[in-house]
Amino acid sequence: EKWSPERAAAPFLSIHPSPLKSYRDATDYPSDFDFSILDCLKGLDRGVRKGWFAWDTFDVDQYERSARAGISAICPKFVAFQGPHAGDDAPSWARAPAFYADAFARARLEVAHVARLNEKETYDISEFEQLGIEVYDLQFPEGSAPPVEIVRMFFLLAKQSGTNTVGVQCKAGLG
C-alpha cells in the first residue's frame, strides 16, 4: 500500500520534542528555511511521480560513490557538487575540476555547463573549459538567497542547456 507523504510523516511529527532535526544547508550561517521530514517526503513523492526515482532501480553503490566524490544528483537536469579547488592553497579535502569532469562521465551525467555559485578564486574556469564544460559565474554570498538577477541567469542557463545536465557548484555539494 502506498502511503502519502503526510501519512508517512505523521508518526514522526507526533513526537514532541522531535527527535529529527530539520535539513538545512551546510553553512554555519543562520538558516532562513529548514526542510522538515514532511518536506523531504513530499520531494521524494514528487520525484517518484516524475520518474526521477524508482526504488527497484536505485543503485545504492552508485549513489555512495557519487556522495564520496562530493556529487549529489538533484534531478535529471541538475547535479550539485562540492566547490572545486586548485592550487597550493587548496584544502586537503579539495578536488580539482578535472576530478569532477571525470566523475560526471563515470556517473553518465552529461554535464556541459557549470553554474559556479561562489568564490571565483578557488579555481581557474579554463580547467573545466579545456574539458568541454562551460562555466557561468553566478556568485552570491554563501548562506544567503540569490539576488533576482542571479536567479534569472540561472534559469536562462538551465533553459539554454537543452537536454544536458547543469552542474551546480556550491560550497558543500548538497545543492
Side-chain angles (χ1 to χ4, degrees), residues 41-43 57 70 74 104-105 111 115 119 135 138 162:
L41 290 170
K42 284 180 177 180
T57 60
I74 306 301
F104 296 151
V111 176
E119 290 101 18
V135 177
L138 303 175

Side-chain angles (χ1 to χ4, degrees), residues 15-102:
I15 302 170
H16 296 285
S18 175
L20 303 173
K21 289 187 176 187
S22 295
Y23 174 83
R24 54 152 299 157
D25 66 22
T27 65
D28 295 332
Y29 301 102
S31 176
D32 56 1
F33 184 81
D34 293 335
F35 287 94
S36 69
I37 187 70
L38 179 58
D39 295 321
C40 294
L41 290 170
K42 284 180 177 180
L44 177 60
D45 182 60
R46 182 171 181 168
V48 168
R49 284 185 283 115
K50 287 191 157 288
W52 297 346
F53 179 84
W55 292 107
D56 56 339
T57 60
F58 181 70
D59 185 340
V60 174
D61 293 330
Q62 175 61 43
Y63 171 81
E64 288 177 348
R65 281 191 301 277
S66 294
R68 283 192 300 274
I71 297 172
S72 179
I74 306 301
C75 67
K77 186 68 178 173
F78 301 106
V79 59
F81 66 103
Q82 202 167 29
H85 284 268
D88 297 336
D89 62 339
S92 60
W93 53 263
R95 297 176 173 100
F99 170 88
Y100 289 106
D102 184 56

